[in-house]
């Protein structure tokens, strides 16, 4: 079983739609959680950290469920520019980041 | 954007040749990392450094070595390249690894190096 698992997608949604991605992790001692965004043939960039209480940044909301060991990312009012691959990332106890394989989002007009 | 560059950006080489990739940062961050990214796999850690001359192995370190003689430079060497090492290589830097989600342990990535081993 992979340490971090994501649905690879693609998720094809129209502009203005709300879309949600989930990610599960296997290490119950995982300490920190992040969502990174990666555009095609570009480097990953941090989208947002995921806090235990959940957090929101504009149209983006991240949630953490430690009991079920998953994190989620909700994108409201999708824009064409949101088209990218979203990487779920977990910081494990050895201070190393474990990356999921990513979920691809395609927003169409 | 964080000041992090990688060179070369693209390289084609033949099996058995040595290859060195360079990562250079201007942020004075303590931690530096080398990852490879392949289809069907997430980014996988090859080696990382927690200071000058201090390095450690990641999950896919076989066939790779690293060196860090200066804070700003982290070199990845493939002593004898193989076709299985064809990949996109990313360097990353971070200020700390405190274990808590914070801006300090955000990893900033370089633009990547596309390496093809024929």
């Amino acid at each position: 079983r992979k340490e971090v698992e994501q649905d690879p997608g693609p998720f094809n949604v129209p502009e203005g739609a709300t879309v949600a991605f989930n990610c599960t992790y296997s290490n119950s001692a995982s300490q920190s959680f992040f969502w990174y965004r990666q555009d095609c043939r570009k480097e990953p960039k941090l989208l947002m950290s995921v806090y235990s209480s959940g957090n929101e940044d504009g149209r983006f909301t991240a949630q953490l469920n430690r009991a079920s060991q998953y994190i989620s990312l909700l994108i409201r009012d999708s824009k064409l520019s949101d088209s990218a691959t979203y990487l779920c990332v977990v910081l494990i106890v050895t201070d190393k980041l474990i990356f999921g394989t990513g979920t691809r989002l395609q927003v169409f007009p | 954007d964080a000041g992090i560059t990688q060179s070369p950006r693209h390289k084609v080489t033949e099996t058995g040749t040595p290859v060195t990739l360079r990562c250079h940062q201007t942020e004075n961050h303590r931690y530096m990392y080398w990852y490879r990214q392949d289809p069907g796999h997430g980014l996988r850690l090859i080696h990382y450094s927690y200071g000058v001359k201090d390095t450690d192995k990641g999950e896919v370190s076989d066939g790779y070595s690293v060196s860090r003689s200066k804070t700003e430079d982290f070199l990845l060497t493939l002593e004898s390249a193989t076709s299985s090492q064809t990949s996109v290589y990313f360097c990353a830097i971070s200020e700390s690894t405190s274990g808590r989600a914070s801006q300090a342990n955000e990893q900033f990535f370089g633009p990547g190096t596309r390496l093809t081993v024929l």
Side-chain angles (χ1 to χ4, degrees):
Chain A
R1 182 185 173 190
K2 290 184 178 180
E3 292 191 78
V4 177
E5 296 205 59
Q6 297 181 250
D7 181 342
F11 284 63
N12 296 305
V13 301
E15 274 187 290
T18 296
V19 62
F21 311 134
N22 284 338
C23 161
T24 58
Y25 61 94
S26 60
N27 190 330
S28 60
S30 299
Q31 299 181 330
S32 303
F33 310 87
F34 309 88
W35 284 103
Y36 276 71
R37 171 193 169 127
Q38 185 172 25
D39 293 302
C40 188
R41 302 176 77 85
K42 298 284 191 179
E43 72 272 22
K45 293 186 178 181
L46 181 68
L47 178 66
M48 58 198 305
S49 300
V50 186
Y51 303 119
S52 296
S53 56
N55 47 305
E56 188 172 311
D57 183 2
R59 298 180 294 108
F60 298 84
T61 300
Q63 297 281 351
L64 167 64
N65 185 319
R66 284 194 183 270
S68 300
Q69 295 184 204
Y70 78 83
I71 67 174
S72 63
L73 177 68
L74 181 77
I75 305 175
R76 290 181 297 278
D77 189 22
S78 298
K79 311 291 185 191
L80 295 175
S81 57
D82 294 334
S83 297
T85 297
Y86 291 84
L87 308 177
C88 172
V89 185
V90 175
L91 182 68
I92 60 177
V93 293
T94 53
D95 288 343
K96 295 184 184 69
L97 295 182
I98 304 296
F99 288 77
T101 53
T103 297
R104 193 156 65 91
L105 172 66
Q106 183 67 48
V107 182
F108 58 88
Chain B
D1 286 349
I4 176 168
T5 57
Q6 293 183 230
S7 58
R9 295 292 315 280
H10 301 271
K11 186 170 182 67
V12 179
T13 191
E14 293 188 350
T15 298
T17 34
V19 176
T20 295
L21 308 183
R22 179 181 184 237
C23 177
H24 178 78
Q25 60 145 331
T26 57
E27 303 296 322
N28 201 36
H29 281 1
R30 178 181 173 188
Y31 295 86
M32 298 186 76
Y33 311 81
W34 276 109
Y35 292 90
R36 60 178 289 174
Q37 187 174 36
D38 305 287
H41 295 274
L43 282 145
R44 292 180 292 174
L45 182 65
I46 304 171
H47 282 278
Y48 69 104
S49 169
Y50 45 95
V52 173
K53 298 192 189 306
D54 291 324
T55 65
D56 204 351
K57 295 179 179 180
E59 64 176 300
V60 290
S61 59
D62 287 349
Y64 302 95
S65 62
V66 290
S67 66
R68 191 165 177 204
S69 59
K70 298 184 290 185
T71 298
E72 57 266 35
D73 290 324
F74 192 32
L75 304 181
L76 177 71
T77 297
L78 291 65
E79 301 291 347
S80 178
T82 67
S83 58
S84 64
Q85 293 176 311
T86 293
S87 187
V88 180
Y89 291 85
F90 286 102
C91 175
I93 63 174
S94 70
E95 194 175 330
S96 74
T97 60
S98 66
R100 296 186 301 279
S102 72
Q103 205 163 8
N105 58 28
E106 174 184 352
Q107 290 194 10
F108 298 93
F109 285 82
T113 295
R114 292 189 173 274
L115 175 67
T116 302
V117 183
L118 302 176

